[in-house]
Amino acid sequence: MIDAGSRPLVNLAATAVGTTRLGPGRRSAAWVQGCPFRCRGCVAPEWIPRRPARHLSPEALAGELLADPDVMGFTFSGGEPMIQAAALAETMTIARRTRDLSLICFTGYTLERLRSRPPSPGVGALLAQVDVLIDGRYVDSRDRGVGLRGSDNQRVHHLTGRLEHVGYDFEHGPRGADVLLSGTTVQVVGIPPAGLLPALGLLTGRPGRHVSTISSDEGPQ
């Protein structure tokens, strides 16, 4: 999180507006830049460094994610959302003034750790906004290739009842991903099925790179 005076800014790695791959219904997603964990097999290693990326105010981010009028939920991931909790909580507060939205949030921290020793200001405020929290670090040897969570050690917490009975299987449902083309960039939105990212790496001339955003150059995404 970047502090512009007294107002927090979100340090963003990427956004996607209007996807059906990151939870029930049509959603918009924000991935933050920076993560304290270095999980083996991370799908987005370029988003681990805590470096400046794209800075947006909560108002601007809320407006961007709401640009699709059919979006009825947000998904926050990264990177690690809980190290930018205050700005993301404010983003959600602003967005919900416009629309009745659900919120799914991924985190490498456990829920117990977030409640006992929050890693940044605003964690409590963000948790109060979250409907479904998917917690725990990714373990590649426990990735079963199904569900919205990355590996089966991660837990799905319904912190509210909003998404508990919508018929969406967070743990065992089929995975899918949208492949978006923008100029020289190929962006994969969703939980990639096995083999998709290596195949994209071969198509772009960069075999073996296991990332969620693949560019034709080696610069930051």
Side-chain angles (χ1 to χ4, degrees):
M1 181 182 71
I2 307 298
D3 196 331
S6 61
R7 300 298 304 280
L9 300 179
V10 186
N11 188 26
L12 282 167
T15 60
V17 178
T19 178
T20 59
R21 301 299 192 177
L22 289 168
R26 193 164 181 84
R27 316 186 68 78
S28 286
W31 293 268
V32 302
Q33 180 72 41
C35 181
F37 308 111
R38 291 187 174 271
C39 301
R40 181 177 178 181
C42 174
V43 75
E46 73 275 25
W47 297 346
I48 292 173
R50 297 182 72 168
R51 59 170 177 79
R54 180 185 176 214
H55 297 154
L56 282 185
S57 68
E59 292 88 352
L61 178 56
E64 181 173 315
L65 298 181
L66 287 170
D68 183 337
D70 294 325
V71 161
M72 296 307 295
F74 288 175
T75 299
F76 292 160
S77 189
E80 173 51 62
M82 289 299 167
I83 64 175
Q84 299 191 48
L88 291 175
E90 187 173 349
T91 298
M92 203 64 203
T93 296
I94 293 167
R96 279 178 166 160
R97 292 173 187 159
T98 300
R99 204 174 301 171
D100 183 22
L101 300 158
S102 64
L103 176 59
I104 298 169
C105 186
F106 289 84
T107 178
Y109 295 98
T110 64
L111 178 59
E112 293 81 5
R113 165 66 195 280
L114 292 173
R115 287 172 168 167
S116 64
R117 289 183 293 130
S120 75
V123 167
L126 181 55
L127 286 176
Q129 300 268 19
V130 174
D131 296 298
V132 173
L133 184 78
I134 300 176
D135 76 346
R137 296 180 62 172
Y138 173 72
V139 179
D140 63 350
S141 63
R142 298 185 62 173
D143 188 341
R144 308 305 180 201
V146 294
L148 193 62
R149 59 185 182 169
S151 53
D152 67 8
N153 61 294
Q154 295 173 317
R155 301 175 300 172
V156 177
H157 302 275
H158 287 269
L159 302 185
T160 74
R162 185 190 293 261
L163 296 178
E164 199 164 6
H165 304 292
V166 297
Y168 185 88
D169 190 344
F170 286 87
E171 297 186 7
H172 305 106
R175 288 182 178 175
D178 296 325
V179 179
L180 308 178
L181 305 178
S182 177
T184 60
T185 299
V186 181
Q187 185 180 21
V188 178
V189 177
I191 309 297
L196 176 60
L197 294 180
L200 287 175
L202 289 172
L203 288 173
T204 57
R206 300 165 73 181
R209 187 164 185 233
H210 190 61
V211 298
S212 60
T213 304
I214 303 174
S215 173
S216 63
D217 60 52
E218 292 295 336
Q221 306 299 308

